[in-house]
Amino acid sequence: MKNQLLTVALAQISPIWLDKNATIEKIKESIIEAASKKAELIVFGETLLPGYPFWVSLTDGAQFDNKIQKEIHAHYAQNAVVIEHGDLDEICGLAREHKIAIYLGIIERPLDRGGHSLYASLVYINEQGEIKSVHRKLQPTYEERLTWAPGDGNGLRVHSLKAFTVGGLNCWENWMPLPRTALYGQGENLHVAVWPGSDYNTKDITRFIARESRSYVISVSSLMRKEDFPPTTPHLDEILKKAPDVLGNGGSCIAGPDGEWILKPVLHKEGLLIETLDFNRVLQERQNFDPVGHYSRPDVTQLSVNRERQSTVWFGEE
């Protein structure tokens, strides 16, 4: 029997905003600290590396052909993660060294889509340091569409971790019933939801998904404060004109398979939040409800999922 207990670390931290290299160093520090506290899984918030595009809603981001938007966006792209160039290699190395699995929210600039557009991606790295899935957010939310491209279903995958089966979604994807179901149907019983930072997002959906799926749900948010904008940020004065003192207050939390809090949303506190989860509680709650098992009717309703990685160009053999 696989080990029933899993120690998880929620990394509620702020990025060194739009500075890829400096933020990677901060992520590495968190991984080492989590490993020293015997964590076996560490989760970071949505697009923590290198940060959420807060400027869009603060600087009239919908203005077409606007110099400010173009220059900040280019800075964002310069600091985005190109996995094919090895940008995550050091993080993978720490996962392998410390035998710790990682969910990490990144801004990805993938070469298989030409290497210029940006995607909000959730990367799973296993305890051997291997990247096992890169889930590109299916639908950017509202103003996010001005800077992020829509993803595909390739990353709708789950992974074995001790007795658990883990899967994850980005931010408001967690409100989408069918992507949730795609993960449930693969046996997910530990759901990871990553957010840019707000208990407004985490306080309701975390418990709802837990009760719906009879799974553990980990929600991890970042922090972002006015002082977290580095002085090197392009057009910083324009961004700060309308920026509130707190843009992301955290709200990281954990709900159990009964939908009750294990860790209530934690606000304004930077650092690691660590809990140990018992797989047996999943089986206890599945006794009376299992959304893709005994409490489902596949003869009546089924879900079809396209997990093909989308690309504009396909090349045959030369």
Side-chain angles (χ1 to χ4, degrees), residues 118-187:
L118 305 181
Y119 296 80
S121 297
L122 180 60
V123 178
Y124 179 73
I125 302 168
N126 70 10
E127 60 271 40
Q128 284 80 48
E130 303 164 328
I131 296 175
K132 302 304 288 185
S133 65
V134 180
H135 175 54
R136 296 173 187 163
K137 190 173 184 177
L138 296 171
Q139 184 58 60
T141 303
Y142 205 58
E143 74 269 19
E144 294 170 359
R145 299 175 200 180
L146 295 167
T147 190
W148 298 344
D152 57 37
N154 182 263
L156 289 174
R157 301 175 186 273
V158 299
H159 309 281
S160 294
L161 186 60
K162 298 181 77 172
F164 288 88
T165 302
V166 301
L169 294 173
N170 295 282
C171 200
W172 275 22
E173 282 186 315
N174 290 287
W175 286 109
M176 299 170 71
L178 300 185
R180 291 200 309 266
T181 303
L183 299 180
Y184 299 165
Q186 298 173 75

Side-chain angles (χ1 to χ4, degrees), residues 31-32 35 40 42 88-102 125-131:
I31 294 168
I32 293 168
E40 297 154 296
I42 182 170
L88 299 182
D89 285 358
E90 289 182 310
I91 292 171
C92 290
L94 285 177
R96 181 171 55 253
E97 178 183 350
H98 295 284
K99 301 294 186 292
I100 185 171
I102 301 168
I125 302 168
N126 70 10
E127 60 271 40
Q128 284 80 48
E130 303 164 328
I131 296 175

Side-chain angles (χ1 to χ4, degrees), residues 194-310:
V194 296
W195 312 85
S198 173
D199 62 320
Y200 166 80
N201 285 314
T202 64
K203 64 183 179 181
D204 296 320
I205 189 67
T206 303
R207 293 183 62 201
F208 171 80
I209 294 176
R211 185 157 293 181
E212 175 186 68
S213 64
R214 297 304 201 264
S215 300
Y216 287 97
V217 178
I218 298 173
S219 276
V220 179
S221 287
S222 304
L223 297 172
M224 187 66 189
R225 299 147 297 208
K226 202 169 184 177
E227 61 266 27
D228 291 325
F229 290 103
T232 54
T233 304
H235 301 288
L236 181 59
D237 290 345
E238 290 297 319
I239 294 172
L240 294 182
K241 280 180 184 178
K242 295 182 180 179
D245 290 339
V246 177
L247 297 94
N249 67 1
S252 300
C253 52
I254 303 175
D258 59 354
E260 298 302 320
W261 289 124
I262 292 174
L263 176 68
K264 292 182 178 180
V266 175
L267 305 181
H268 305 292
K269 179 181 178 182
E270 182 153 14
L272 299 181
L273 309 169
I274 296 179
E275 295 286 343
T276 297
L277 312 180
D278 182 355
F279 171 75
N280 200 50
R281 289 194 57 194
V282 172
L283 298 181
Q284 292 172 5
E285 295 305 321
R286 297 290 177 111
Q287 183 270 339
N288 58 23
F289 186 78
D290 183 353
V292 293
H294 67 77
Y295 219 93
S296 65
R297 286 292 304 274
D299 56 318
V300 179
T301 57
Q302 290 186 343
L303 173 65
S304 174
V305 180
N306 178 6
R307 291 205 308 199
E308 182 180 354
R309 179 62 93 197
Q310 300 300 301

